[in-house]
Amino acid sequence: MTEPGGEKARAGRVHPRWVVKLGTGVLSTPEGDLDLPQIRRLVEQVVGLKKDGWEIVLVSSGAIGSGMGLLGYGRRPTAIEELQACAAVGQPQLMRLYEELFAECGYHVAQFLLTYLDLDSRTLYENARKTMEHLLSRKIFIPVINENDVVSYEEIKFGDNDRLSAHVASMVNADKLIILSNVPGLRERDQEGGKIIPLVEEITEEIEAMAGQTRSERSVGGMVTKVEAARIAGSAGIPMQIADGRAKAVLRRIAAGEPVGTLFLARGQR
Ligand code: GLU
């Protein structure tokens, strides 16, 4: 692709800047292990866009899921220190995998572990923002963000990366936030077979009512936090798209402006 496809970049930028959130369900197998072929496919798609000039920031879950296997948990634990231990063990596994896969294509990852407090402090927020801008200007780096689960505790925890990804999108003034998940979009009824709503112009009570909690053990926030993320991104003027992370060439199709999953318009776009 020679043109920035159906995507328009913000004023002053030649190519679009995207924040792409990869959920636990889309990175792992039903058994809870990291799904290597799937992660490779996602990395290849990101590399394809980078080669066409796109600026990409990844927000990746999967640390807890990946640590669970190594620590011998068959299902997601509930005690905070167990979850934190899983994240401590899983995060380096996850980053090692990303680094290996991106390095094969000539790119490198840059890890950011953020907490709510970092985003709440003007100084820390600015530090993170400037570091991210610097890395984005050096084209071969891909910032990979996760919540710093090891130090986050109940009261200050995002707990899900949906809302974190919306704050990151706002921090880097992204053109779009894309949430890749194991659900293909917002359904009229939160059930298999419920019709996917392609466009949400405004988050109404009716839309909120459709966003039932995800029942999968491997997912964290469900649709409720995705709609909240759309609200956060939208109020910063950033549209958000939810799509099935396992659908073939999903990022490329979104880049080409195809209607994939559910697009939430931002304030000012309606
Ligand atoms: N930060 C958590 C992890 O890396 C996941 C949160 C989420 O999936 O939204 O495992």
Side-chain angles (χ1 to χ4, degrees):
M1 188 182 295
T2 50
E3 294 289 321
E7 291 293 318
K8 261 176 66 193
R10 291 201 165 192
R13 255 186 238 141
V14 179
H15 293 286
R17 175 179 287 184
W18 282 0
V19 172
V20 179
K21 187 246 168 176
L22 306 172
T24 303
V26 100
L27 298 171
S28 45
T29 63
E31 292 72 43
D33 304 312
L34 289 177
D35 185 342
L36 302 187
Q38 162 66 6
I39 298 176
R40 183 180 286 278
R41 282 192 289 274
L42 289 167
V43 165
E44 283 167 357
Q45 290 187 57
V46 170
V47 167
L49 291 174
K50 287 284 293 176
K51 287 195 169 145
D52 285 341
W54 252 253
E55 293 183 354
I56 308 273
V57 173
L58 291 180
V59 175
S60 179
S61 305
I64 293 176
S66 146
M68 270 166 55
L70 278 171
L71 282 164
Y73 290 104
R75 54 172 56 204
R76 195 179 164 94
T78 47
I80 186 113
E81 62 277 14
E82 290 178 303
L83 290 165
Q84 288 174 319
C86 289
V89 170
Q91 180 67 21
Q93 307 291 326
L94 188 63
M95 291 306 289
R96 189 175 62 190
L97 182 59
Y98 279 129
E99 176 57 26
E100 273 171 21
L101 294 175
F102 277 114
E104 282 174 19
C105 309
Y107 291 88
H108 296 281
V109 290
Q111 173 180 262
F112 286 70
L113 294 175
L114 300 175
T115 65
Y116 174 82
L117 293 181
D118 299 322
L119 301 185
D120 205 36
S121 146
R122 199 183 169 124
T123 315
L124 301 186
Y125 182 95
E126 264 306 290
N127 285 340
R129 192 189 65 73
K130 284 188 193 148
T131 311
M132 234 174 274
E133 283 296 340
H134 181 73
L135 285 161
L136 286 169
S137 73
R138 308 273 309 269
K139 302 293 180 195
I140 61 164
F141 296 100
I142 294 147
V144 181
I145 290 123
N146 197 357
E147 181 163 11
N148 193 354
D149 294 307
V150 174
V151 298
S152 286
Y153 55 94
E154 211 94 53
E155 289 75 9
I156 58 149
K157 204 168 165 46
F158 281 109
D160 66 85
N161 280 347
D162 295 325
R163 285 169 298 177
L164 175 62
S165 66
H167 288 293
V168 170
S170 158
M171 175 189 271
V172 298
N173 195 17
D175 296 286
K176 187 179 258 188
L177 167 62
I178 294 168
I179 295 198
L180 295 184
S181 140
N182 52 2
V183 291
L186 178 66
R187 293 187 192 278
E188 269 177 13
R189 278 162 289 116
D190 187 26
Q191 289 169 0
E192 288 293 317
K195 195 170 151 280
I196 302 285
I197 299 173
L199 183 68
V200 174
E201 295 193 26
E202 198 174 347
I203 300 171
T204 57
E205 278 179 17
E206 198 193 350
I207 293 293
E208 276 172 348
M210 286 173 196
Q213 288 287 350
T214 305
R215 289 167 197 89
S216 159
E217 261 191 31
R218 289 182 300 133
S219 284
V220 179
M223 199 49 78
V224 170
T225 56
K226 291 180 181 48
V227 171
E228 276 178 44
R231 196 191 294 285
I232 297 165
S235 62
I238 302 166
M240 185 189 104
Q241 194 150 354
I242 306 176
D244 178 355
R246 291 178 189 272
K248 195 158 184 253
V250 62
L251 289 177
R252 177 57 77 195
R253 285 164 52 208
I254 295 172
E258 282 184 37
V260 182
T262 303
L263 173 66
F264 292 77
L265 294 186
R267 200 186 51 196
Q269 285 192 307
R270 290 156 203 145

